[in-house]
Amino acid sequence: MAVQMVMGFLAALTFGYIFRVPAGESIRCGLVGCLGWTIFLAAQGPVGEVGAVFLAATAVAVASEVLARRRHQPVIVFLTPGIIPIVPGSKAYLTMLSFVQKDYAEGLVLLVTTLFLAGAVAAGIIITSSIFRSHTSTKPVGR
Amino acid sequence: MEELVGLILKAGELLLTCGAEMARVEETIERMGRAAGFSAVESYATPTGLFVSLHAPDGRVYTRVKRIRGGHSNIALIAEVNSLSRAFAAGKITAEELRYALERLQEEGAGNAAARPLIGGGGALAFAMMVGGSWLEGLVAGVVGALVLFVVSRMERRFPKVIQAAAGSMVAAAAVTIVGQRLSINTNIAILGAVMVLAPGLVITTAIRDLLSGELVSGLSRSAEALVIAVAIAAGVAVVLSLGGA
């Protein structure tokens, strides 16, 4: 478990670097990623894969919104690297691979799983940021 | 006035080429336009083009169209332009200072490119371990992931993103297959970790955020971009695996 937590941290940290987040924020990006991956691993047993991804995505989105406001950075600075460990990128890849290798039955199962997981990630982000948007007054720009 | 229009357009262009959300681009243009003294600001941003119409108090209307080409994810630059535009709107910096800062940002561009493959390799290692790989499989994925990023960085600007993704995943599959003949590893896990460095992460996040804020055109076109890149990655691996007789 400890190794996995470090890997979640490492994945978010390095992907933050690939997406070129501001240098001073990369450790925080890694911590957000570690949070998401830890919650996913912990919740996977009790609530299943899709539920765990939803919970993890919600936690990552909340952490990103809070950090963004505290550090005066755009939300995507933390959200993009932080969400990386729980995005079903590997499942999407395996789906495509099954189809090109003519294993259609396996491909369909993987496809449906990927869609549900991606939907859970999107739902977690969307619900969280809508709540944050409706509860924070953006500074007027003279509209 | 003419100069301010160019400045606003430049800020919008920088944001778009770095992969910012549409709402942010339009908000930034509006904020800067107001601060520059225009009475009305209309803008329409898409991932491939920017339209801005600025109404001056004397009745003249400045309308510009900017075609956006290529570009690569650079969140730090988005954050920089964002805070510059806020400083400009608050009157903390002059138009001249803003222009100098924007030009400098554009020149800096990619920044420390040499370290990216190495650090990205760490990401590939983490991914291979996260899908249940052993340390050895993680290590192979990490080295190959670094190689993939190096190859892709050589191709940057000269080839479209889709070709980069396909070529990168072909390199990953070939390298892991060769290594796999010597070592007893699960090549699928190692390939999976290595190709993850090509995953269009920023595109997916901004696509979700664009759709959420009602930007249907860019939300859908970004989703399509992410899908095409994902297919290119899988196709690259599949081509190599089927040629290699695996």
Side-chain angles (χ1 to χ4, degrees):
Chain A
M1 185 70 180
V3 173
Q4 285 294 317
M5 283 171 73
V6 173
M7 288 305 153
F9 175 80
L10 186 63
L13 180 81
T14 50
F15 274 80
Y17 195 85
I18 292 181
F19 302 137
R20 305 184 175 93
V21 297
E25 310 294 341
S26 26
I27 298 291
R28 287 183 189 83
C29 293
L31 290 175
V32 173
C34 177
L35 173 80
W37 185 239
T38 310
I39 288 180
F40 169 74
L41 290 176
Q44 201 178 8
V47 297
E49 210 176 8
V50 176
V53 163
F54 173 74
L55 288 179
T58 308
V60 166
V62 170
S64 307
E65 297 274 350
V66 171
L67 276 173
R69 277 160 181 74
R70 191 167 291 177
R71 306 283 308 165
H72 301 293
Q73 297 281 357
V75 177
I76 50 167
V77 168
F78 306 102
L79 187 60
T80 307
I83 212 78
I84 279 286
I86 52 173
V87 162
S90 52
K91 282 250 166 38
Y93 162 74
L94 290 174
T95 305
M96 294 294 176
L97 203 61
S98 307
F99 279 125
V100 266
Q101 291 179 337
K102 290 188 182 162
D103 191 349
Y104 297 120
E106 178 71 13
L108 278 179
V109 173
L110 279 167
L111 177 67
V112 175
T113 322
T114 309
L115 287 181
F116 271 102
L117 293 177
V121 172
I125 295 176
I126 287 174
I127 292 171
T128 309
S129 41
S130 329
I131 292 172
F132 267 85
R133 266 184 212 191
S134 61
H135 279 273
T136 40
S137 52
T138 44
K139 280 175 204 144
V141 286
R143 207 178 282 247
Chain B
M1 276 313 197
E2 196 69 46
E3 197 163 284
L4 288 168
V5 175
L7 206 56
I8 292 168
L9 210 59
K10 169 64 65 189
E13 185 193 359
L14 268 177
L15 284 176
L16 280 173
T17 50
C18 295
E21 316 102 291
M22 298 306 121
R24 178 177 310 284
V25 177
E26 291 173 2
E27 196 189 302
T28 305
I29 287 170
E30 166 121 19
R31 187 190 301 127
M32 289 176 66
R34 295 280 177 184
F38 292 99
S39 54
V41 182
E42 290 292 336
S43 69
Y44 176 59
T46 75
T48 47
L50 175 63
F51 309 78
V52 181
S53 191
L54 299 149
H55 299 247
D58 61 9
R60 270 186 294 177
V61 181
Y62 300 87
T63 301
R64 296 285 183 278
V65 177
K66 186 87 199 169
R67 177 77 166 91
I68 308 296
R69 287 176 205 282
H72 42 259
S73 313
N74 192 335
I75 299 181
L77 223 149
I78 298 174
E80 280 289 330
V81 175
N82 186 51
S83 54
L84 278 175
S85 79
R86 280 177 201 278
F88 178 65
K92 283 177 197 152
I93 55 172
T94 62
E96 195 53 42
E97 284 169 327
L98 177 64
R99 196 180 38 157
Y100 177 72
L102 286 180
E103 274 169 6
R104 218 195 50 216
L105 278 181
Q106 195 176 25
E107 278 166 25
E108 278 175 19
N112 43 356
R116 280 185 77 215
L118 288 178
I119 295 178
L125 180 147
F127 252 102
M129 304 275 297
M130 281 163 63
V131 293
S134 66
W135 280 104
L136 185 62
E137 283 152 2
L139 211 61
V140 172
V143 173
V144 174
L147 177 71
V148 167
L149 274 180
F150 177 74
V151 170
V152 169
S153 71
R154 295 282 107 183
M155 296 173 72
E156 221 161 52
R157 281 163 218 253
R158 264 176 290 172
F159 293 93
K161 275 184 194 168
V162 178
I163 307 291
Q164 289 179 24
S169 66
M170 287 169 90
V171 169
V176 172
T177 308
I178 292 167
V179 175
Q181 285 168 346
R182 304 275 151 79
L183 301 169
S184 65
I185 53 167
N186 184 336
T187 48
N188 280 335
I189 287 183
I191 294 176
L192 201 159
V195 296
M196 273 307 132
V197 297
L198 301 166
L202 184 60
V203 180
I204 294 171
T205 335
T206 41
I208 294 176
R209 288 180 67 81
D210 277 346
L211 284 174
L212 160 67
S213 46
E215 301 289 342
L216 300 181
V217 173
S218 58
L220 286 182
S221 61
R222 284 208 158 128
S223 310
E225 184 185 354
L227 187 68
V228 168
I229 293 178
V231 171
I233 293 173
V237 173
V239 164
V240 172
L241 288 191
S242 54
L243 286 180

